[in-house]
Amino acid sequence: MILKAILFDLDDTLLWDERSVQEAFTAACQAGIAKYPTLKAKELEGAVRQEARALYESYETFPFTKMIGINPFEALWGDFSEGDDDNFRKLQALAPAYRREAWTKGLAFLGVDDPHLGQTLGELFPAERRARPIVYEQTFPLLDALKGKYKLLLLTNGSPDLQKEKIAGVPQLAAYFDHIVISGTFGHGKPSEAIFKHAMELLAIEPGEGLMVGDKLTTDILGSNRVGMRNVWINHHHIKRTDEIIPSYEISDISELAAIIQKLSEA
C-alpha cells in the first residue's frame, strides 16, 4: 500500500531526552559534591536512580504510570497538573515528597545524612532538566523534508503536562504535526492497540498506509506490530535484540530514515 502517514515517537526519537536527563543529573550531583567533596557524581546519580525507582514502584499509582508510560526519572521533574484520571491527582500530591525522598535516600545510601540537601537537590534537578530541551541535529531537516508530503502524527507516552512542556520547550516542533496524541490524555499507552487505532482514525489511514518510528521495541515497535503497521526501530545504542519483537527496519540514527521512507514511497 502507498505510504500516506508517518507516526513519530517523541522522547529519544525527535527529542534527545536521555541526554537532557543525564545532564540534569550531572548538574544536580555536582551541586551535592560542592557541599560534600568526597561524593562522586556517578555514584550519587546511581544511588538516586536506584532509590527513585524503588520509591516509584512502591506507590499505588505504579500500575497506572507503567500503563501510561511514565518512567521514574520523568516523575523526578513532573508536576502532574493535568490529566482527567484520578491517578494524576495522586501523583501530583506525591511529587514533592518523591523528589525529596529520592535524593535524600540516595545521599543516605552513600553515607550522607542531610535531608535539607536532599530537598535542595530534589528541586534543583527539575530546574536543570527544564533548562535542557535538546533536539537531535537531524530532527528538523527530516521534518522539513516530510512536511506536506505525508500526514505526520506525534504519538507519545507520558503525562499530559510533562509531554506538552517538552513539546513547548522546542517551540517550532508542534507545527509540523497534523495531530499530537499523548497517552495520558488518551487513557492508554503504547503498546496498546487502542492508541494506535486511535491514531489511525485521526489520520484516516489503514495500517499498511502508516509507518511508526520510535526508539523502544516494547512500545513503539510492539504496538505497531500488533495493528499490522510497518515500523522503524532507532537503535541508538546498538542493542542486540532477540526475535521476540521484530521491527520492519532498524537504524542507528534518524538521519537514516529518509532513505527508508523514499524506498517505501516508490514501492
Side-chain angles (χ1 to χ4, degrees):
M1 298 182 77
I2 296 173
L3 183 63
K4 294 182 178 179
I6 303 168
L7 294 70
F8 282 98
D9 171 53
L10 179 64
D11 297 314
D12 297 315
T13 296
L14 299 176
L15 300 187
W16 198 349
D17 185 64
E18 184 178 47
R19 178 178 167 185
S20 299
V21 169
Q22 181 60 64
E23 290 187 5
F25 263 117
T26 298
C29 289
Q30 288 298 330
I33 291 170
K35 185 170 183 181
Y36 294 97
T38 57
L39 288 173
K40 295 180 180 179
K42 281 297 180 184
E43 290 182 358
L44 179 54
E45 178 185 337
V48 172
R49 284 182 182 266
Q50 173 182 290
E51 297 296 338
R53 187 179 289 106
L55 274 172
Y56 194 67
E57 294 180 1
S58 75
Y59 297 143
E60 64 173 315
T61 52
F62 179 61
F64 173 75
T65 55
K66 187 175 181 180
M67 184 268 289
I68 292 297
I70 308 168
N71 72 51
F73 314 118
E74 289 180 309
L76 281 177
W77 67 285
D79 294 324
F80 306 106
S81 58
E82 294 186 28
D84 295 332
D85 195 286
D86 288 343
N87 281 289
F88 285 118
R89 303 292 74 74
K90 294 175 183 178
L91 286 163
Q92 188 176 20
L94 284 168
Y98 171 64
R99 293 193 293 267
R100 180 182 67 247
E101 288 302 306
W103 283 91
T104 299
K105 286 177 177 289
L107 288 164
F109 183 82
L110 298 177
V112 175
D113 181 15
D114 192 336
H116 178 71
L117 180 60
Q119 169 78 30
T120 299
L121 299 182
E123 296 309 314
L124 177 60
F125 177 83
E128 293 290 348
R129 171 58 186 83
R130 288 188 165 90
R132 292 169 168 80
I134 303 173
V135 182
Y136 288 106
E137 184 179 350
Q138 291 299 319
T139 291
F140 288 117
L142 175 66
L143 293 176
D144 284 333
L146 299 177
K147 182 66 175 175
K149 296 180 181 178
Y150 304 92
K151 297 178 182 178
L152 301 179
L153 183 144
L154 191 60
L155 184 59
T156 177
N157 276 358
S159 172
D161 61 313
L162 198 58
Q163 298 310 98
K164 288 178 184 178
E165 184 176 353
K166 291 176 185 177
I167 295 165
V170 185
Q172 63 270 48
L173 185 62
Y176 284 94
F177 295 94
D178 300 287
H179 305 281
I180 295 175
V181 179
I182 300 172
S183 67
T185 301
F186 178 69
H188 294 276
K190 298 174 288 183
S192 168
E193 290 183 35
I195 197 168
F196 281 91
K197 289 178 178 178
H198 174 63
M200 288 189 291
E201 288 173 4
L202 290 174
L203 293 165
I205 62 167
E206 297 297 321
E209 297 172 323
L211 181 72
M212 178 71 211
V213 181
D215 71 299
K216 290 185 175 59
L217 285 171
T218 54
T219 56
D220 305 309
I221 306 308
L222 178 59
S224 48
N225 277 349
R226 285 175 173 174
V227 297
M229 183 182 293
R230 292 169 293 188
N231 47 54
V232 179
W233 178 39
I234 307 177
N235 184 5
H236 295 293
H237 302 294
H238 305 284
I239 298 167
K240 186 175 181 180
R241 64 169 178 81
T242 65
D243 287 335
E244 186 177 354
I245 303 171
I246 302 175
S248 307
Y249 301 92
E250 178 179 335
I251 60 178
S252 59
D253 188 276
I254 200 169
S255 63
E256 301 170 61
L257 182 60
I260 293 172
I261 293 172
Q262 181 67 28
K263 179 181 177 181
L264 291 175
S265 299
E266 293 172 350

